PDB file of all heavy atoms in Angstrom:
ATOM      1  N   ALA V 250      78.960 -25.048 104.941  1.00  0.00           N
ATOM      2  CA  ALA V 250      79.121 -23.936 104.031  1.00  0.00           C
ATOM      3  C   ALA V 250      79.909 -24.285 102.785  1.00  0.00           C
ATOM      4  O   ALA V 250      79.744 -23.779 101.686  1.00  0.00           O
ATOM      5  CB  ALA V 250      79.865 -22.753 104.755  1.00  0.00           C
ATOM      6  N   ASP V 251      80.864 -25.272 102.912  1.00  0.00           N
ATOM      7  CA  ASP V 251      81.662 -25.641 101.700  1.00  0.00           C
ATOM      8  C   ASP V 251      81.077 -26.852 101.019  1.00  0.00           C
ATOM      9  O   ASP V 251      81.682 -27.370 100.160  1.00  0.00           O
ATOM     10  CB  ASP V 251      83.094 -25.962 102.165  1.00  0.00           C
ATOM     11  CG  ASP V 251      83.154 -27.106 103.143  1.00  0.00           C
ATOM     12  OD1 ASP V 251      82.082 -27.586 103.597  1.00  0.00           O
ATOM     13  OD2 ASP V 251      84.263 -27.588 103.464  1.00  0.00           O
ATOM     14  N   GLY V 252      79.892 -27.275 101.419  1.00  0.00           N
ATOM     15  CA  GLY V 252      79.234 -28.403 100.737  1.00  0.00           C
ATOM     16  C   GLY V 252      79.686 -29.761 101.242  1.00  0.00           C
ATOM     17  O   GLY V 252      79.206 -30.771 100.739  1.00  0.00           O
ATOM     18  N   ALA V 253      80.539 -29.821 102.216  1.00  0.00           N
ATOM     19  CA  ALA V 253      81.005 -31.130 102.710  1.00  0.00           C
ATOM     20  C   ALA V 253      80.099 -31.602 103.807  1.00  0.00           C
ATOM     21  O   ALA V 253      79.322 -30.851 104.439  1.00  0.00           O
ATOM     22  CB  ALA V 253      82.466 -30.956 103.206  1.00  0.00           C
ATOM     23  N   ALA V 254      80.247 -32.858 104.144  1.00  0.00           N
ATOM     24  CA  ALA V 254      79.438 -33.486 105.198  1.00  0.00           C
ATOM     25  C   ALA V 254      80.011 -32.947 106.551  1.00  0.00           C
ATOM     26  O   ALA V 254      81.119 -32.491 106.666  1.00  0.00           O
ATOM     27  CB  ALA V 254      79.551 -34.981 105.174  1.00  0.00           C
ATOM     28  N   ALA V 255      79.148 -33.036 107.558  1.00  0.00           N
ATOM     29  CA  ALA V 255      79.509 -32.552 108.865  1.00  0.00           C
ATOM     30  C   ALA V 255      80.717 -33.347 109.356  1.00  0.00           C
ATOM     31  O   ALA V 255      80.829 -34.541 109.199  1.00  0.00           O
ATOM     32  CB  ALA V 255      78.297 -32.711 109.864  1.00  0.00           C
ATOM     33  N   SER V 256      81.577 -32.618 110.052  1.00  0.00           N
ATOM     34  CA  SER V 256      82.863 -33.256 110.501  1.00  0.00           C
ATOM     35  C   SER V 256      82.545 -34.085 111.748  1.00  0.00           C
ATOM     36  O   SER V 256      81.636 -33.846 112.482  1.00  0.00           O
ATOM     37  CB  SER V 256      83.905 -32.201 110.816  1.00  0.00           C
ATOM     38  OG  SER V 256      83.426 -31.339 111.814  1.00  0.00           O
ATOM     39  N   THR V 257      83.444 -35.027 112.001  1.00  0.00           N
ATOM     40  CA  THR V 257      83.279 -35.956 113.149  1.00  0.00           C
ATOM     41  C   THR V 257      84.569 -36.443 113.615  1.00  0.00           C
ATOM     42  O   THR V 257      85.526 -36.485 112.818  1.00  0.00           O
ATOM     43  CB  THR V 257      82.297 -37.116 112.783  1.00  0.00           C
ATOM     44  OG1 THR V 257      82.262 -37.947 113.922  1.00  0.00           O
ATOM     45  CG2 THR V 257      82.864 -37.982 111.638  1.00  0.00           C
ATOM     46  N   THR V 258      84.696 -36.805 114.874  1.00  0.00           N
ATOM     47  CA  THR V 258      85.949 -37.253 115.359  1.00  0.00           C
ATOM     48  C   THR V 258      85.927 -38.826 115.353  1.00  0.00           C
ATOM     49  O   THR V 258      86.962 -39.384 115.656  1.00  0.00           O
ATOM     50  CB  THR V 258      86.178 -36.842 116.820  1.00  0.00           C
ATOM     51  OG1 THR V 258      84.988 -37.223 117.593  1.00  0.00           O
ATOM     52  CG2 THR V 258      86.274 -35.275 116.839  1.00  0.00           C
ATOM     53  N   GLU V 259      84.848 -39.428 114.973  1.00  0.00           N
ATOM     54  CA  GLU V 259      84.792 -40.862 114.977  1.00  0.00           C
ATOM     55  C   GLU V 259      85.546 -41.454 113.779  1.00  0.00           C
ATOM     56  O   GLU V 259      85.421 -40.956 112.704  1.00  0.00           O
ATOM     57  CB  GLU V 259      83.313 -41.345 114.925  1.00  0.00           C
ATOM     58  CG  GLU V 259      83.160 -42.845 114.946  1.00  0.00           C
ATOM     59  CD  GLU V 259      81.706 -43.303 114.946  1.00  0.00           C
ATOM     60  OE1 GLU V 259      80.869 -42.411 115.124  1.00  0.00           O
ATOM     61  OE2 GLU V 259      81.468 -44.509 114.761  1.00  0.00           O
ATOM     62  N   ARG V 260      86.385 -42.451 114.019  1.00  0.00           N
ATOM     63  CA  ARG V 260      87.209 -42.952 112.886  1.00  0.00           C
ATOM     64  C   ARG V 260      86.345 -43.909 112.045  1.00  0.00           C
ATOM     65  O   ARG V 260      85.589 -44.719 112.497  1.00  0.00           O
ATOM     66  CB  ARG V 260      88.370 -43.758 113.471  1.00  0.00           C
ATOM     67  CG  ARG V 260      89.318 -44.305 112.420  1.00  0.00           C
ATOM     68  CD  ARG V 260      90.444 -44.993 113.048  1.00  0.00           C
ATOM     69  NE  ARG V 260      91.349 -45.531 112.042  1.00  0.00           N
ATOM     70  CZ  ARG V 260      92.462 -46.238 112.282  1.00  0.00           C
ATOM     71  NH1 ARG V 260      92.764 -46.515 113.540  1.00  0.00           N
ATOM     72  NH2 ARG V 260      93.191 -46.667 111.324  1.00  0.00           N
ATOM     73  N   VAL V 261      86.436 -43.674 110.746  1.00  0.00           N
ATOM     74  CA  VAL V 261      85.657 -44.427 109.754  1.00  0.00           C
ATOM     75  C   VAL V 261      86.611 -45.179 108.912  1.00  0.00           C
ATOM     76  O   VAL V 261      87.508 -44.590 108.318  1.00  0.00           O
ATOM     77  CB  VAL V 261      84.745 -43.514 108.922  1.00  0.00           C
ATOM     78  CG1 VAL V 261      83.976 -44.338 107.883  1.00  0.00           C
ATOM     79  CG2 VAL V 261      83.770 -42.749 109.815  1.00  0.00           C
ATOM     80  N   HIS V 262      86.402 -46.517 108.744  1.00  0.00           N
ATOM     81  CA  HIS V 262      87.239 -47.319 107.896  1.00  0.00           C
ATOM     82  C   HIS V 262      86.666 -47.276 106.476  1.00  0.00           C
ATOM     83  O   HIS V 262      85.546 -47.839 106.177  1.00  0.00           O
ATOM     84  CB  HIS V 262      87.301 -48.780 108.410  1.00  0.00           C
ATOM     85  CG  HIS V 262      87.976 -48.884 109.705  1.00  0.00           C
ATOM     86  ND1 HIS V 262      89.370 -48.885 109.829  1.00  0.00           N
ATOM     87  CD2 HIS V 262      87.515 -49.041 110.970  1.00  0.00           C
ATOM     88  CE1 HIS V 262      89.671 -49.031 111.092  1.00  0.00           C
ATOM     89  NE2 HIS V 262      88.560 -49.127 111.779  1.00  0.00           N
ATOM     90  N   SER V 263      87.358 -46.634 105.571  1.00  0.00           N
ATOM     91  CA  SER V 263      86.830 -46.474 104.175  1.00  0.00           C
ATOM     92  C   SER V 263      88.025 -46.055 103.333  1.00  0.00           C
ATOM     93  O   SER V 263      89.029 -45.621 103.770  1.00  0.00           O
ATOM     94  CB  SER V 263      85.699 -45.419 104.122  1.00  0.00           C
ATOM     95  OG  SER V 263      86.183 -44.160 104.510  1.00  0.00           O
ATOM     96  N   SER V 264      87.779 -46.196 102.010  1.00  0.00           N
ATOM     97  CA  SER V 264      88.783 -45.829 101.002  1.00  0.00           C
ATOM     98  C   SER V 264      88.600 -44.376 100.562  1.00  0.00           C
ATOM     99  O   SER V 264      87.553 -43.843 100.812  1.00  0.00           O
ATOM    100  CB  SER V 264      88.653 -46.787  99.777  1.00  0.00           C
ATOM    101  OG  SER V 264      87.433 -46.530  99.094  1.00  0.00           O
ATOM    102  N   PRO V 265      89.603 -43.789  99.907  1.00  0.00           N
ATOM    103  CA  PRO V 265      89.438 -42.396  99.377  1.00  0.00           C
ATOM    104  C   PRO V 265      88.267 -42.266  98.469  1.00  0.00           C
ATOM    105  O   PRO V 265      87.540 -41.263  98.496  1.00  0.00           O
ATOM    106  CB  PRO V 265      90.740 -42.171  98.697  1.00  0.00           C
ATOM    107  CG  PRO V 265      91.733 -43.057  99.335  1.00  0.00           C
ATOM    108  CD  PRO V 265      90.974 -44.296  99.679  1.00  0.00           C
ATOM    109  N   LEU V 266      87.989 -43.307  97.659  1.00  0.00           N
ATOM    110  CA  LEU V 266      86.817 -43.258  96.718  1.00  0.00           C
ATOM    111  C   LEU V 266      85.536 -43.189  97.487  1.00  0.00           C
ATOM    112  O   LEU V 266      84.638 -42.377  97.123  1.00  0.00           O
ATOM    113  CB  LEU V 266      86.836 -44.525  95.823  1.00  0.00           C
ATOM    114  CG  LEU V 266      85.680 -44.672  94.894  1.00  0.00           C
ATOM    115  CD1 LEU V 266      85.589 -43.470  93.890  1.00  0.00           C
ATOM    116  CD2 LEU V 266      85.703 -45.946  94.114  1.00  0.00           C
ATOM    117  N   VAL V 267      85.451 -43.966  98.543  1.00  0.00           N
ATOM    118  CA  VAL V 267      84.181 -43.950  99.343  1.00  0.00           C
ATOM    119  C   VAL V 267      83.994 -42.606  99.971  1.00  0.00           C
ATOM    120  O   VAL V 267      82.909 -42.052  99.983  1.00  0.00           O
ATOM    121  CB  VAL V 267      84.194 -45.065 100.400  1.00  0.00           C
ATOM    122  CG1 VAL V 267      83.098 -44.856 101.402  1.00  0.00           C
ATOM    123  CG2 VAL V 267      84.067 -46.432  99.763  1.00  0.00           C
ATOM    124  N   ARG V 268      85.079 -42.013 100.530  1.00  0.00           N
ATOM    125  CA  ARG V 268      84.988 -40.723 101.190  1.00  0.00           C
ATOM    126  C   ARG V 268      84.645 -39.604 100.153  1.00  0.00           C
ATOM    127  O   ARG V 268      83.876 -38.684 100.477  1.00  0.00           O
ATOM    128  CB  ARG V 268      86.264 -40.380 101.915  1.00  0.00           C
ATOM    129  CG  ARG V 268      86.536 -41.286 103.119  1.00  0.00           C
ATOM    130  CD  ARG V 268      87.621 -40.749 104.015  1.00  0.00           C
ATOM    131  NE  ARG V 268      88.950 -40.969 103.410  1.00  0.00           N
ATOM    132  CZ  ARG V 268      89.641 -42.116 103.501  1.00  0.00           C
ATOM    133  NH1 ARG V 268      89.166 -43.140 104.172  1.00  0.00           N
ATOM    134  NH2 ARG V 268      90.855 -42.183 102.972  1.00  0.00           N
ATOM    135  N   ARG V 269      85.157 -39.761  98.927  1.00  0.00           N
ATOM    136  CA  ARG V 269      84.819 -38.724  97.901  1.00  0.00           C
ATOM    137  C   ARG V 269      83.316 -38.830  97.533  1.00  0.00           C
ATOM    138  O   ARG V 269      82.665 -37.816  97.399  1.00  0.00           O
ATOM    139  CB  ARG V 269      85.675 -38.960  96.682  1.00  0.00           C
ATOM    140  CG  ARG V 269      85.383 -38.060  95.565  1.00  0.00           C
ATOM    141  CD  ARG V 269      86.337 -38.129  94.393  1.00  0.00           C
ATOM    142  NE  ARG V 269      86.303 -39.396  93.794  1.00  0.00           N
ATOM    143  CZ  ARG V 269      85.361 -39.804  92.955  1.00  0.00           C
ATOM    144  NH1 ARG V 269      84.399 -38.965  92.567  1.00  0.00           N
ATOM    145  NH2 ARG V 269      85.362 -41.018  92.414  1.00  0.00           N
ATOM    146  N   LEU V 270      82.816 -40.011  97.381  1.00  0.00           N
ATOM    147  CA  LEU V 270      81.399 -40.230  97.025  1.00  0.00           C
ATOM    148  C   LEU V 270      80.476 -39.737  98.163  1.00  0.00           C
ATOM    149  O   LEU V 270      79.448 -39.062  97.914  1.00  0.00           O
ATOM    150  CB  LEU V 270      81.087 -41.716  96.750  1.00  0.00           C
ATOM    151  CG  LEU V 270      81.698 -42.287  95.407  1.00  0.00           C
ATOM    152  CD1 LEU V 270      81.449 -43.800  95.384  1.00  0.00           C
ATOM    153  CD2 LEU V 270      81.073 -41.592  94.238  1.00  0.00           C
ATOM    154  N   ALA V 271      80.942 -39.978  99.357  1.00  0.00           N
ATOM    155  CA  ALA V 271      80.139 -39.507 100.533  1.00  0.00           C
ATOM    156  C   ALA V 271      80.103 -37.976 100.565  1.00  0.00           C
ATOM    157  O   ALA V 271      79.037 -37.395 100.854  1.00  0.00           O
ATOM    158  CB  ALA V 271      80.772 -40.045 101.830  1.00  0.00           C
ATOM    159  N   LYS V 272      81.249 -37.357 100.269  1.00  0.00           N
ATOM    160  CA  LYS V 272      81.278 -35.896 100.283  1.00  0.00           C
ATOM    161  C   LYS V 272      80.396 -35.321  99.155  1.00  0.00           C
ATOM    162  O   LYS V 272      79.659 -34.377  99.386  1.00  0.00           O
ATOM    163  CB  LYS V 272      82.754 -35.375 100.121  1.00  0.00           C
ATOM    164  CG  LYS V 272      82.882 -33.917 100.110  1.00  0.00           C
ATOM    165  CD  LYS V 272      84.316 -33.480 100.013  1.00  0.00           C
ATOM    166  CE  LYS V 272      84.491 -31.965  99.971  1.00  0.00           C
ATOM    167  NZ  LYS V 272      85.857 -31.578  99.847  1.00  0.00           N
ATOM    168  N   GLU V 273      80.432 -35.945  97.937  1.00  0.00           N
ATOM    169  CA  GLU V 273      79.682 -35.431  96.872  1.00  0.00           C
ATOM    170  C   GLU V 273      78.170 -35.537  97.083  1.00  0.00           C
ATOM    171  O   GLU V 273      77.407 -34.697  96.631  1.00  0.00           O
ATOM    172  CB  GLU V 273      80.055 -36.217  95.585  1.00  0.00           C
ATOM    173  CG  GLU V 273      81.427 -35.868  95.071  1.00  0.00           C
ATOM    174  CD  GLU V 273      81.806 -36.750  93.822  1.00  0.00           C
ATOM    175  OE1 GLU V 273      81.002 -37.596  93.435  1.00  0.00           O
ATOM    176  OE2 GLU V 273      82.887 -36.520  93.261  1.00  0.00           O
ATOM    177  N   HIS V 274      77.755 -36.572  97.851  1.00  0.00           N
ATOM    178  CA  HIS V 274      76.338 -36.794  98.075  1.00  0.00           C
ATOM    179  C   HIS V 274      75.905 -36.442  99.489  1.00  0.00           C
ATOM    180  O   HIS V 274      74.819 -36.785  99.910  1.00  0.00           O
ATOM    181  CB  HIS V 274      75.968 -38.237  97.790  1.00  0.00           C
ATOM    182  CG  HIS V 274      76.113 -38.590  96.278  1.00  0.00           C
ATOM    183  ND1 HIS V 274      75.178 -38.421  95.384  1.00  0.00           N
ATOM    184  CD2 HIS V 274      77.180 -39.109  95.643  1.00  0.00           C
ATOM    185  CE1 HIS V 274      75.568 -38.816  94.219  1.00  0.00           C
ATOM    186  NE2 HIS V 274      76.841 -39.240  94.337  1.00  0.00           N
ATOM    187  N   SER V 275      76.779 -35.709 100.292  1.00  0.00           N
ATOM    188  CA  SER V 275      76.486 -35.280 101.609  1.00  0.00           C
ATOM    189  C   SER V 275      76.034 -36.411 102.508  1.00  0.00           C
ATOM    190  O   SER V 275      74.976 -36.313 103.157  1.00  0.00           O
ATOM    191  CB  SER V 275      75.427 -34.162 101.564  1.00  0.00           C
ATOM    192  OG  SER V 275      75.907 -33.021 100.828  1.00  0.00           O
ATOM    193  N   ILE V 276      76.768 -37.474 102.512  1.00  0.00           N
ATOM    194  CA  ILE V 276      76.430 -38.625 103.359  1.00  0.00           C
ATOM    195  C   ILE V 276      77.422 -38.738 104.527  1.00  0.00           C
ATOM    196  O   ILE V 276      78.610 -38.634 104.334  1.00  0.00           O
ATOM    197  CB  ILE V 276      76.471 -39.933 102.557  1.00  0.00           C
ATOM    198  CG1 ILE V 276      75.440 -39.897 101.420  1.00  0.00           C
ATOM    199  CG2 ILE V 276      76.298 -41.172 103.429  1.00  0.00           C
ATOM    200  CD1 ILE V 276      75.539 -41.075 100.465  1.00  0.00           C
ATOM    201  N   ASP V 277      76.844 -38.838 105.727  1.00  0.00           N
ATOM    202  CA  ASP V 277      77.737 -38.935 106.930  1.00  0.00           C
ATOM    203  C   ASP V 277      78.086 -40.448 107.076  1.00  0.00           C
ATOM    204  O   ASP V 277      77.287 -41.316 107.366  1.00  0.00           O
ATOM    205  CB  ASP V 277      76.882 -38.473 108.143  1.00  0.00           C
ATOM    206  CG  ASP V 277      77.761 -38.471 109.399  1.00  0.00           C
ATOM    207  OD1 ASP V 277      78.923 -38.877 109.324  1.00  0.00           O
ATOM    208  OD2 ASP V 277      77.288 -37.994 110.404  1.00  0.00           O
ATOM    209  N   LEU V 278      79.367 -40.737 106.883  1.00  0.00           N
ATOM    210  CA  LEU V 278      79.826 -42.177 106.933  1.00  0.00           C
ATOM    211  C   LEU V 278      79.671 -42.723 108.344  1.00  0.00           C
ATOM    212  O   LEU V 278      79.661 -43.956 108.466  1.00  0.00           O
ATOM    213  CB  LEU V 278      81.286 -42.225 106.477  1.00  0.00           C
ATOM    214  CG  LEU V 278      81.499 -41.924 104.997  1.00  0.00           C
ATOM    215  CD1 LEU V 278      82.983 -42.003 104.682  1.00  0.00           C
ATOM    216  CD2 LEU V 278      80.771 -42.898 104.117  1.00  0.00           C
TER     217      LEU V 278
END
């Protein structure tokens, strides 16, 4: 509903920039 990717409990190794790009393009890391 808020335009973010689906939440997950799996830990993802990534930087804040990567997570921001993933959120903007609805990509599940």
Side-chain angles (χ1 to χ4, degrees):
D251 61 352
S256 61
T257 177
T258 56
E259 183 178 347
R260 184 177 179 183
V261 177
H262 294 282
S263 60
S264 68
L266 175 61
V267 168
R268 292 192 286 276
R269 178 174 62 79
L270 290 173
K272 180 178 180 181
E273 289 177 355
H274 295 273
S275 299
I276 296 173
D277 186 355
L278 291 177

